[in-house]
Amino acid sequence: MLGDKTLAATGIFLVGLFSFGEGIIGGREAAAHSRPYMASIQVAEGDGMKHECGGFAVADQWVMTAVHCLPTGANGRKVVLGVHSLSQAEDTKQTFEILELHNHPQYNPDNYDNDIALIKLDRPFNASESVKSVGFLRAGGIDPGTDAEVETAGWGSLDNLGSRPDMLQEALIRVVSSTRCRRSDYFGRKFTANMICAHKLCPEPCNQPHKMEDSCDGDSGGPLLYNGVVVGITSNGGKKCGQIKKPGIYTIVSHYSEWVDGVMGLGPDA
Ligand SMILES: *[C@@H]1O[C@H](CO)[C@@H](O)[C@H](O)[C@H]1NC(C)=O
């Protein structure tokens, strides 16, 4: 158990470490509204709402996210689109109640297999430069291979102490081989065929080329993008961020086309 003084000192050290940098190591603040599909899923806290998870708009009334963000139901959570700063009153923001929550029926809370959920908003969004849906990879599409550079974004913690950014952060990350992520010193058998794992890369200029980080708490539910198309959902399996041998884990979206189409009413029978 760390004493309060140790914690305070660590906090000051981290403030010093991060205040001149670009947020998370391997990440930086995104250009405002450059990722207009980003959703902030928020939960009531006191008089206001607090960011809890990410998500992304896939159609004008649908947001994709991770089951582990809302495992027991919507419980009054809201979805905000058009956000750059969580705290500022941006006129681009559109706030929604959750009309329907569809958690994947085969979600496994022990290993986070099938960590994909769809939220139906209470009304369609008004499309704008700041609010748009994004394409996602379908069955038969080519998933990024080992060492491919992919991108992720979120309002997740900047460090293991849980300090949260106000502005959307983004990071370039690199896919790690499944063979490696299945190793017992990584995720072992908890790493299933429905998962991609990836490490953040160091930004330029970078004096720690081997320092890599994964996405952190609060990034969950957000997108993993390859060539501008969503290929994964930040899942992480509840792991702490920032451990060299624990890359981020992402649900492979292309494995769920049929389920997604069925839920959104786009199936062959619709
Ligand atoms: C879209 O715009 C209309 C007209 O301004 C407004 O009534 C409606 O509430 C807006 N919808 C959302 C989702 O904000």
Side-chain angles (χ1 to χ4, degrees), residues 133-200:
S133 58
V134 63
F136 57 92
L137 197 70
R138 307 189 58 83
I142 310 287
D143 282 302
T146 300
D147 291 337
E149 287 191 4
V150 285
E151 298 170 290
T152 188
W155 291 271
S157 304
L158 298 173
D159 56 61
N160 276 324
L161 298 182
S163 64
R164 296 281 185 92
D166 186 48
M167 315 290 188
L168 182 65
Q169 307 288 306
E170 63 185 10
L172 193 59
I173 64 179
R174 196 187 288 283
V175 175
V176 177
S177 80
S178 302
T179 310
R180 178 177 294 208
C181 287
R182 261 193 296 273
R183 267 167 38 183
S184 57
D185 54 339
Y186 280 69
F187 299 104
R189 259 172 275 153
K190 287 193 163 185
F191 189 80
T192 75
N194 295 313
M195 301 173 182
I196 290 181
C197 70
H199 263 315
K200 275 182 182 155

Side-chain angles (χ1 to χ4, degrees), residues 35-38 57-58 81 125-134:
R35 298 180 182 276
Y37 43 81
M38 285 300 300
V58 291
L81 301 177
F125 63 69
N126 286 330
S128 69
E129 282 308 302
S130 308
V131 180
K132 279 180 193 156
S133 58
V134 63

Side-chain angles (χ1 to χ4, degrees), residues 94 96 123-126:
Q94 298 179 40
F96 303 85
R123 59 200 195 287
F125 63 69
N126 286 330

